[in-house]
Amino acid sequence: MAMLSRTAASLYWLGRYVERADFLARLVEATVRLDALSSRPAGDAAWASALAVSYTEESFAATGQEVGQAEVARFLTYDRSHGGSILWCLDAARNNAKAVRTALTRDAWTAINRAWIVFNGPIGEDADTLGLVEAIKAEARGFEGAVQRMMKNEATWFIQLGAAIERADNTARLIDVKYHLLLPEGERVGGAIDRDQWTTILQTVSAVTAYRWLYSEGLRPSSVIELLLCRGEVPRSLAACVDETVEMLNLLGKRTGFQGEADRMARARLARMQKTRAHEVIVSGLHEYLTAFIRENAMLDAAIARQFRFI
């Protein structure tokens, strides 16, 4: 059982780290584009928000560098000294993949290994950030597609469970930081800068087209919040992540016989999410809602580790 537990943990964290690397790549890409549309200090504020979203503010401050595109982009991509960089996540993903190599298909392993090679090749000061993050996004999509084509068993489900937990955390932090930190003081809600920032959020979670399909009234912050909280049609919405978590736990429980605290927590969260209305959340306090969601997601992560006896 100890070996099975280690394997399950490696698969789960493989899913989390690939998802995190992909999210960081999208975050860096979107912030580069937002910076290009902004004047200072709005551009620097966008990079400060990227640090906040990735929980790396303190680590970056310890470097003594000024907040700017070159410094933060490099910190979030190449810096191995902290767990909030793409390179660190790819190292961790590859190490976990190596530990469960026999559970992965050739395509799944190749996508991870290729992404790792991209970052561990010759990297110069003039590296093309957008080209680099696009390459990582492509390999992450390749890995996700390979997982979808794998045999439907515990290996696939643990990877997808880890990805769903990670995706939920990323989306919640992204919305929270945007709502409270990104808008420069003195800028009105609905102004040009505000619109650019909300568009950037949609780009980060690949939901620009989905928004246009579902909302005909143009870009409205309340509609973006509803999309990313409650619309299960959007894979990176909180609703979709919550639903997928329950689905994966159900499949794993039936196959392994391990059911308990994590299942109860996930089902209770799904029941609450199905009753959630975005306008009520905004009125009662979006920050408080998202903070509670992030805390509960971390508790669910810990419950999953206990339930499946991760080591």
Side-chain angles (χ1 to χ4, degrees), residues 209-245:
T209 302
Y211 184 89
R212 290 171 180 163
W213 270 98
L214 294 170
Y215 300 94
S216 59
E217 71 273 18
L219 190 67
R220 294 174 53 186
S222 60
S223 296
V224 176
I225 292 169
E226 180 185 63
L227 181 81
L228 298 183
L229 257 62
C230 306
R231 299 302 295 255
E233 305 99 311
V234 180
R236 287 183 170 86
S237 71
L238 298 189
C241 296
V242 165
D243 185 66
E244 186 174 3
T245 298

Side-chain angles (χ1 to χ4, degrees), residues 167-185:
R167 197 177 300 127
D169 187 63
N170 292 338
T171 298
R173 286 188 283 127
L174 186 67
I175 302 169
D176 192 33
V177 169
K178 166 60 189 84
Y179 200 70
H180 290 272
L181 298 181
L182 266 177
L183 191 63
E185 188 174 354

Side-chain angles (χ1 to χ4, degrees), residues 183-194:
L183 191 63
E185 188 174 354
E187 286 289 341
R188 70 183 182 88
V189 174
I193 291 177
D194 191 45

Side-chain angles (χ1 to χ4, degrees), residues 135-297:
I136 297 307
K137 286 167 52 185
E139 298 302 345
R141 288 194 297 269
F143 175 75
E144 184 177 358
V147 170
Q148 291 293 333
R149 295 189 298 272
M150 283 170 55
M151 185 170 67
K152 304 305 180 186
N153 60 10
E154 297 95 320
T156 305
W157 300 330
F158 272 119
I159 292 171
Q160 291 177 315
L161 176 62
I165 291 291
E166 181 67 32
R167 197 177 300 127
D169 187 63
N170 292 338
T171 298
R173 286 188 283 127
L174 186 67
I175 302 169
D176 192 33
V177 169
K178 166 60 189 84
Y179 200 70
H180 290 272
L181 298 181
L182 266 177
L183 191 63
E185 188 174 354
E187 286 289 341
R188 70 183 182 88
V189 174
I193 291 177
D194 191 45
R195 287 195 303 274
D196 289 342
Q197 289 167 349
W198 283 110
T199 300
T200 299
I201 299 306
L202 291 173
Q203 291 171 342
T204 304
V205 295
S206 298
V208 173
T209 302
Y211 184 89
R212 290 171 180 163
W213 270 98
L214 294 170
Y215 300 94
S216 59
E217 71 273 18
L219 190 67
R220 294 174 53 186
S222 60
S223 296
V224 176
I225 292 169
E226 180 185 63
L227 181 81
L228 298 183
L229 257 62
C230 306
R231 299 302 295 255
E233 305 99 311
V234 180
R236 287 183 170 86
S237 71
L238 298 189
C241 296
V242 165
D243 185 66
E244 186 174 3
T245 298
V246 171
E247 180 186 0
M248 293 303 111
L249 284 170
N250 283 340
L251 291 168
L252 285 165
K254 291 175 183 177
R255 182 65 62 89
T256 66
F258 286 101
Q259 295 176 307
E261 178 187 12
D263 296 271
R264 290 191 292 274
M265 289 178 64
R267 286 195 296 267
R269 187 173 69 165
L270 176 60
R272 290 194 302 274
M273 178 59 72
Q274 290 171 340
K275 298 176 183 177
T276 297
R277 300 294 178 267
H279 67 277
E280 295 175 358
V281 170
I282 294 171
V283 170
S284 61
L286 180 62
H287 173 66
E288 290 74 17
Y289 175 87
L290 292 169
T291 299
F293 183 93
I294 292 166
R295 187 184 309 116
E296 184 180 27
N297 201 57

